[in-house]
Amino acid sequence: GDVKLDLSGCTKVTDMFKSTAFVELPALDVSKAADLNTMFAFSSSLKKVGTLKLGTNQTFVNTFQKCSSLKEISFSGEISRSIDFSACPLTPESMINIIMHLAFYKDTENQYKYTVKFSESCWEAMENSDYDVTEYNGSVACWQDYCAYNGWNT
């Protein structure tokens, strides 16, 4: 059957899956954790993570560092701090999910305070995907501009 991990009461998930050999992880409720720092770092075999249920104001320092196989991940809740996926060969489906869960910081004190990072090849794949940025925001020409419009550095 499906594996379930109940992390809904965990306040500390730092290093929880760091340097592990997992290929796939189920949906995880990490909403009570203060941060997700290095949670999956150096897990180079990890290809898929189910939906991560986020809390508020969580940090993501090196959460996905060297996750060089991670293609699929999704989020529920709001990504409100810098997050780096530059080591991950994410699918456009995963990228659109991430982008749609970034906090909206346009014209706020947090505008351009935080960064979302994807590899250049992921940005290119996103631009060549079926996800037409103009359907989400008619005033921008590419997905990096979409993130900037919403107050994020890329």
Side-chain angles (χ1 to χ4, degrees):
D2 287 343
V3 174
K4 291 186 176 21
L5 293 173
D6 183 2
L7 304 180
S8 59
C10 291
T11 57
K12 185 168 176 27
V13 296
T14 302
D15 297 340
M16 183 172 280
F17 298 103
K18 184 177 181 182
S19 300
T20 60
F22 289 108
V23 173
E24 186 173 337
L25 289 167
L28 301 169
D29 179 346
V30 292
S31 59
K32 300 251 186 333
D35 68 67
L36 279 63
N37 298 347
T38 60
M39 185 175 180
F40 303 101
F42 303 103
S43 293
S44 58
S45 299
L46 189 60
K47 292 182 179 177
K48 181 178 181 178
V49 178
T51 302
L52 284 181
K53 181 180 178 185
L54 301 177
T56 54
N57 296 320
Q58 291 169 312
T59 57
F60 304 93
V61 177
N62 297 325
T63 302
F64 301 100
Q65 182 180 14
K66 306 249 187 220
C67 288
S68 55
S69 298
L70 185 62
K71 292 179 185 254
E72 295 178 51
I73 189 167
S74 62
F75 292 86
S76 69
E78 193 171 72
I79 299 169
S80 59
R81 298 288 183 266
S82 292
I83 193 162
D84 185 349
F85 294 98
S86 58
C88 311
L90 294 172
T91 64
E93 292 77 19
S94 293
M95 287 181 68
I96 194 80
N97 175 276
I98 293 161
I99 291 168
M100 292 301 132
H101 286 89
L102 296 175
F104 186 75
Y105 287 141
K106 183 181 181 186
D107 300 327
T108 71
E109 63 186 19
N110 286 329
Q111 184 166 326
Y112 307 127
K113 187 174 176 182
Y114 302 110
T115 302
V116 59
K117 286 186 183 174
F118 299 110
S119 71
E120 279 307 312
S121 59
C122 282
W123 282 119
E124 287 170 22
M126 188 69 176
E127 294 306 333
N128 294 319
S129 74
D130 291 335
Y131 295 106
D132 180 356
V133 71
T134 60
E135 291 178 15
Y136 294 83
N137 181 334
S139 65
V140 298
C142 69
W143 282 105
Q144 286 174 288
D145 289 350
Y146 179 91
C147 293
Y149 181 89
N150 290 328
W152 284 77
N153 297 310
T154 56

